[in-house]
């Protein structure tokens, strides 16, 4: 950040921690941070954690973000703010976005939830401030990486369309044991949701919907075998933006071999409903442990023929490990999700954006090489 801003963080979980610390530690001019959560004690704990973690002077204030209505304290903070960074569960996103619109604040969120994203797109359509949606890891960074691959391929090979654009992310542990071959590194409800809700893809250049976990395959990345399968939300708006330009486009989640077979056993008789999501979440949490030592594996590839008819393929793969920022060690899922959120904040605060801004509408090359993102992912 080149100027001082008042930044409101909605939520007090792991990503709220991470984005607060990143903004405090890596900004040229440290912002004032307001951290709000329905649990004031939790918000206060995060504020103290960030104060202890940053090596720079930083003003951080915790506040009570009530679940319904608005308090005088909230109103006062919203009136002071420049932007809201929404780190709450996706179901709460439309409410926080409405606050941003009502108080003339910029807004950015992380959620992969499709229905909530559509709701925010509608309410922010004519806003006087900018609303960047789905700007974490997946959706978020991986979509910008895939879109940049498409733009480069089209430019370098003088073509308007390609056959395949595929992009995949795995938030994984370093080790995995039977029978589930998994460890939770992020939200269990988020995992259950992406496994059960339908996914949006391109097939034969046309946007369509497919069931999650319906196209499993094996992929080898840096010599390691993973299983990939369709999951919901990760494609962001690329199916709309690239319809008619890409024959086959999809987002898939990477897992260790054996995990998806175990999950299928748990959901074999479940319908795609909110009740089924809760049931799957509970079943997974009964047997799958939380693991702190994590890694993020991501992969994007594009394939098509050049202007001479020669079949070409380009691939990018990265493995991101935990990283020390200031005085704290952050998990890979924290840094990879929070850094794009911080980059989105800089884009909004230092630009002249209004209304809804989707992933395909962002300058992908500039964003991927941005101040906060490049410190976690490296330069494009």
């Amino acid at each position: 950040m080149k100027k001082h801003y008042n930044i409101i963080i909605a939520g007090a979980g792991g990503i709220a921690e991470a984005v607060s610390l990143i903004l405090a530690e890596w900004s040229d001019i440290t912002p004032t941070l307001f951290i709000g959560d329905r649990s004031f004690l939790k918000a206060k704990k995060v504020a103290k954690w960030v104060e202890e973690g940053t090596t720079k002077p930083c003003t951080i204030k915790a506040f009570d973000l009530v679940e319904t209505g608005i308090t005088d304290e909230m109103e006062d903070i919203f009136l002071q703010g420049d932007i809201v960074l929404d780190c709450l569960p996706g179901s709460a996103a439309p409410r926080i976005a409405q606050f941003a619109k009502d108080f003339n604040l910029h807004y950015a969120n992380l959620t992969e939830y499709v229905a909530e994203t559509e709701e925010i797109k509608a309410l922010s359509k004519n806003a006087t401030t900018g609303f960047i949606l789905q700007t974490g890891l997946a959706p978020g960074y991986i979509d910008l990486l895939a879109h940049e691959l498409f733009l480069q391929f089209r430019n370098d090979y003088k073509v308007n369309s390609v056959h395949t654009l595929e992009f995949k992310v795995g938030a994984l542990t370093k080790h995995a044991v039977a029978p589930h071959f998994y460890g939770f590194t992020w939200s269990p409800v988020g995992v259950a949701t992406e496994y059960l809700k339908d996914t949006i893809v391109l097939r034969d250049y046309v946007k369509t919907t497919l069931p999650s976990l319906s196209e499993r395959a094996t992929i080898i990345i840096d010599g390691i075998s993973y299983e990939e399968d369709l999951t919901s939300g990760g494609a962001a708006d690329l199916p709309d933006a690239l319809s008619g330009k890409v024959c086959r486009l999809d987002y898939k989640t990477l897992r260790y071999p054996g995990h998806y077979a175990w999950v299928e056993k748990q959901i074999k008789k479940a319908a795609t409903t909110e009740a089924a999501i809760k049931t799957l979440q509970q079943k997974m949490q009964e047997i799958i442990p939380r693991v702190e030592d994590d890694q993020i594996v991501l992969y994007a590839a594009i394939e098509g023929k050049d202007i001479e008819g020669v079949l070409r393929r380009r691939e990018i793969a990265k493995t991101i490990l935990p990283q020390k920022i200031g005085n704290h060690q952050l998990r890979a899922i924290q840094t990879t999700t929070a850094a794009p959120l911080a980059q989105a904040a800089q884009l909004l605060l230092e630009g002249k954006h209004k209304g809804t801004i989707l992933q395909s509408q962002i300058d992908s090359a500039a964003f991927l090489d941005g101040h906060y993102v490049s410190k976690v992912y490296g330069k494009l």
Side-chain angles (χ1 to χ4, degrees):
M1 305 290 181
K2 306 300 182 184
K3 292 171 53 179
H4 176 268
Y5 295 101
N6 292 330
I7 298 179
I8 301 166
I9 313 292
I15 305 307
E17 285 183 343
V19 74
S20 299
L21 183 59
I22 284 172
L23 288 167
E25 188 69 12
W26 287 349
S27 297
D28 295 327
I29 297 178
T30 306
T32 295
L33 301 174
F34 297 90
I35 300 173
D37 192 77
R38 64 181 180 178
S39 168
F40 176 70
L41 291 178
K42 193 174 180 182
K44 196 172 180 180
K45 183 178 179 182
V46 171
K48 183 180 180 182
W49 181 88
V50 176
E51 287 175 347
E52 294 171 347
T54 184
T55 62
K56 295 181 177 180
C58 184
T59 301
I60 309 170
K61 299 178 181 180
F63 71 98
D64 189 6
L65 181 62
V66 297
E67 290 188 80
T68 57
I70 184 170
T71 65
D72 291 343
E73 180 190 34
M74 287 169 59
E75 185 170 351
D76 180 59
I77 288 170
F78 287 143
L79 287 169
Q80 294 180 59
D82 296 299
I83 188 170
V84 179
L85 303 184
D86 187 354
C87 301
L88 290 169
S91 58
R95 176 173 179 254
I96 303 302
Q98 187 66 58
F99 283 139
K101 184 177 182 182
D102 291 344
F103 287 89
N104 204 36
L105 303 170
H106 292 296
Y107 172 88
N109 74 16
L110 303 163
T111 184
E112 74 276 18
Y113 288 15
V114 175
E116 287 77 359
T117 296
E118 292 300 317
E119 188 175 343
I120 297 171
K121 282 165 64 176
L123 75 86
S124 63
K125 187 175 181 181
N126 299 315
T128 57
T129 53
F131 286 66
I132 295 184
L133 308 183
Q134 302 185 311
T135 187
L137 164 58
Y141 178 90
I142 194 64
D143 305 284
L144 289 162
L145 183 62
H147 195 218
E148 180 62 19
L149 272 180
F150 172 79
L151 295 174
Q152 289 181 1
F153 193 98
R154 185 180 64 178
N155 182 64
D156 292 347
Y157 296 123
K158 314 301 179 188
V159 294
N160 292 319
S161 63
V162 300
H163 185 268
T164 304
L165 183 60
E166 53 188 283
F167 39 109
K168 320 168 197 298
V169 173
L172 300 168
T173 53
K174 291 186 177 180
H175 316 285
V177 297
H180 48 74
F181 299 100
Y182 188 61
F184 281 118
T185 66
W186 67 290
S187 163
V189 67
V191 175
T193 299
E194 72 172 2
Y195 287 173
L196 283 171
K197 289 197 173 182
D198 289 344
T199 184
I200 300 172
V201 302
L202 290 180
R203 293 292 183 265
D204 295 324
Y205 299 98
V206 176
K207 186 174 81 167
T208 189
T209 299
L210 293 175
S212 287
L213 307 188
S214 63
E215 290 189 358
R216 194 170 314 156
T218 299
I219 183 172
I220 299 173
I221 302 172
D222 291 331
I224 300 173
S225 292
Y226 301 95
E227 284 185 342
E228 57 174 59
D229 212 336
L230 297 172
T231 54
S232 70
D237 71 314
L238 292 191
D240 287 307
L242 299 179
S243 178
K245 300 174 184 178
V246 179
C247 178
R248 186 180 180 91
L249 176 152
D250 53 53
Y251 169 80
K252 290 185 174 182
T253 294
L254 299 170
R255 293 290 183 253
Y256 290 118
H259 173 71
Y260 282 130
W262 180 84
V263 169
E264 280 191 333
K265 290 180 181 178
Q266 314 310 310
I267 61 177
K268 190 173 182 180
K269 297 182 180 179
T272 308
T273 64
E274 293 302 320
I277 290 170
K278 186 174 181 180
T279 299
L280 176 59
Q281 176 190 347
Q282 290 172 340
K283 286 183 177 180
M284 289 193 294
Q285 286 183 284
E286 287 173 2
I287 191 171
I288 298 175
R290 284 188 173 272
V291 179
E292 296 299 315
D293 191 13
D294 68 338
Q295 60 181 335
I296 298 297
V297 180
L298 62 89
Y299 174 90
I302 188 166
E303 185 171 301
K305 292 183 178 180
D306 65 18
I307 197 170
E308 304 293 336
V310 177
L311 186 62
R312 306 266 187 182
R313 185 176 179 88
R314 288 183 175 178
E315 303 168 301
I316 295 177
K318 296 176 184 280
T319 299
I320 312 295
L321 301 175
Q323 181 175 351
K324 188 174 184 181
I325 298 175
N327 300 320
H328 290 316
Q329 181 85 354
L330 296 186
R331 290 176 290 129
I333 187 63
Q334 289 180 289
T335 59
T336 53
T337 305
L341 184 59
Q343 197 66 55
Q346 183 177 20
L347 188 156
L348 289 170
L349 291 168
E350 296 182 354
K352 296 180 180 180
H353 301 279
K354 294 182 180 181
T356 307
I357 304 157
L358 304 176
Q359 295 301 300
S360 68
Q361 298 166 332
I362 296 171
D363 181 338
S364 52
F367 194 97
L368 294 170
D369 280 341
H371 176 73
Y372 300 102
V373 164
S374 63
K375 287 179 179 290
V376 171
Y377 291 93
K379 291 285 188 180
L380 179 60

